[in-house]
Amino acid sequence: MSSKKTALTTDLVEKYVAENSILIDAIKQQLNSGKMKEAAQYQMKLQQNLIYLATIADVDPKNKKKKK
């Protein structure tokens, strides 16, 4: 059962990474077109995704380092 949870987490992380790549391309495209408002909307979504990924990385016990 633990491996299913890990696979789900991995799939979820991969989904966010792929979405972030698309968002970065969209941000660049909007900025190059002078559409700052639209770029800012994509940036907000990118920031939310990055915060979420950082949060789950902090919670993941595999990422905890042992204190000396």
Side-chain angles (χ1 to χ4, degrees), residues 7-68:
L8 258 178
T9 302
T10 301
D11 290 344
L12 186 62
V13 169
E14 288 175 357
K15 174 192 163 271
Y16 274 92
V17 169
E19 183 179 5
N20 289 350
S21 178
I22 292 167
L23 287 169
I24 291 168
D25 289 340
I27 291 165
K28 290 190 307 189
Q29 191 174 36
Q30 297 302 319
L31 289 174
N32 288 337
S33 299
K35 298 178 181 178
M36 302 304 166
K37 185 177 180 180
E38 291 84 352
Q41 291 172 339
Y42 288 123
Q43 278 186 297
M44 287 189 323
K45 178 61 178 165
L46 176 62
Q47 183 176 1
Q48 289 172 350
N49 287 357
L50 292 172
I51 290 169
Y52 177 76
L53 289 172
T55 301
I56 63 172
D58 286 344
V59 172
D60 189 351
K62 291 182 284 185
N63 292 329
K64 302 273 184 197
K65 293 182 180 177
K66 293 182 180 178
K67 293 183 180 180
K68 291 182 179 180

